[in-house]
Amino acid sequence: MLLLCGRAHISIAKLAAALFIGLLPLQVFAQQTLVSVPELQANVTDLTGTLSPEQTAAISQNLHALEERKGTQIAVLIVPTTQPEGIEQYALRVVTQWKLGRRNVDDGTLILVAKNDRRVRIEVGYGLEGVLSDLTTHRIIEEQITPRFKQGDFAGGLEAGINQMTQLIDGEPLPLPTNQRTNLEDDFRQAWPLLLMIAIIFGRLLQRLLGRIPGAITVSVIGGLVVWFTINSLIWG
């Protein structure tokens, strides 16, 4: 009896080892067949040929205008399928590789369309989660994007969803884009002689009203705050 049990134990162990070894190639094969993430070369990437060049250009122009105005970066990716991954896992791989949005602001957003899977996902950076919550993005997909997709109007669905997102982002107080900060700083550098004259005149009036030292301190604080809020730069302020 003991001998039979021992043989049975050895057979089961060998069987388990054989199954484990046999499954290894399947695991490697599954990892190798994951849908690859394309390189980020434009804010609209269509790997299915669904959008015409004119439609792609129009959507891209709207996204570029938003980025110039608010600094927020939205990218659109259309793939045939994300299988064997779910759209959520694939979206995370995309945003990890693409690194959308600004550093320390994290205001990037991905609109991912898996055409053959009939799935849409909006992946939002932490900096926009207050305005583009899970509930909000779900409603945008259900009310703006999906109805038009069902009619075969993919460009219209994307434009409607992006327009809704843009309206919400425009109402969100975000740090100014780099180009706008640069323009304001340039304007300030050009206007500083006039501002200096105004500050001197205003300072003398305050000195007469408050005294020399309190007046000077008041002018300095007000001037610094005005510059800070004008060009969003604490150093200049």
Side-chain angles (χ1 to χ4, degrees):
M1 178 67 68
L2 292 175
L3 181 59
L4 292 176
C5 291
R7 289 179 178 176
H9 177 72
I10 293 173
S11 299
I12 293 174
K14 289 182 177 180
L15 179 61
L19 289 174
F20 177 77
I21 295 173
L23 288 175
L24 282 178
L26 296 177
Q27 294 175 353
V28 174
F29 179 76
Q31 292 177 355
Q32 291 176 344
T33 56
L34 291 179
V35 177
S36 61
V37 177
E39 295 293 330
L40 178 61
Q41 298 180 347
N43 47 20
V44 178
T45 304
D46 181 11
L47 302 182
T48 63
T50 300
L51 302 176
S52 68
E54 294 77 16
Q55 292 170 337
T56 300
I59 295 173
S60 179
Q61 184 177 0
N62 290 337
L63 296 178
H64 182 70
L66 173 64
E67 187 173 356
E68 287 288 317
R69 184 172 66 254
K70 295 290 291 186
T72 299
Q73 184 181 15
I74 297 179
V76 176
L77 174 59
I78 307 176
V79 297
T81 180
T82 65
Q83 298 299 321
E85 280 184 302
I87 194 170
E88 296 84 2
Q89 290 74 24
Y90 183 74
L92 290 176
R93 285 206 293 128
V94 174
V95 296
T96 300
Q97 180 170 318
W98 283 7
K99 294 179 174 60
L100 300 172
R102 293 173 290 175
R103 183 179 298 179
N104 300 326
V105 181
D106 197 9
D107 56 347
T109 300
L110 170 69
I111 302 177
L112 175 60
V113 179
K115 186 177 180 180
N116 296 345
D117 302 335
R118 298 184 178 181
R119 296 291 306 277
V120 180
R121 180 169 179 81
I122 300 176
E123 197 71 34
V124 180
Y126 290 115
L128 291 176
E129 285 188 341
V131 64
L132 293 177
S133 63
D134 291 341
L135 178 60
T136 301
T137 55
H138 177 75
R139 291 186 62 181
I140 291 174
I141 292 173
E142 293 296 320
E143 298 176 5
Q144 303 295 332
I145 299 177
T146 301
R148 292 171 174 83
F149 278 14
K150 289 181 178 179
Q151 298 174 359
D153 185 9
F154 286 88
L158 289 171
E159 289 174 349
I162 291 170
N163 288 339
Q164 185 68 43
M165 294 167 62
T166 299
Q167 292 178 11
L168 296 172
I169 294 172
D170 278 334
E172 186 74 359
L174 294 170
L176 289 175
T178 303
N179 60 335
Q180 292 188 23
R181 290 201 303 269
T182 301
N183 292 336
L184 287 172
E185 290 175 0
D186 291 341
D187 293 341
F188 174 73
R189 293 189 185 99
Q190 295 176 3
W192 75 264
L194 177 61
L195 295 176
L196 180 61
M197 293 179 59
I198 295 175
I200 293 174
I201 296 173
F202 184 64
R204 289 180 177 177
L205 292 176
L206 285 180
Q207 287 177 6
R208 292 180 180 179
L209 294 175
L210 303 178
R212 182 176 180 182
I213 295 178
I217 294 174
T218 302
V219 171
S220 300
V221 172
I222 294 175
L225 290 175
V226 169
V227 174
W228 182 14
F229 285 112
T230 300
I231 66 174
N232 198 29
S233 174
L234 181 59
I235 296 177
W236 275 100

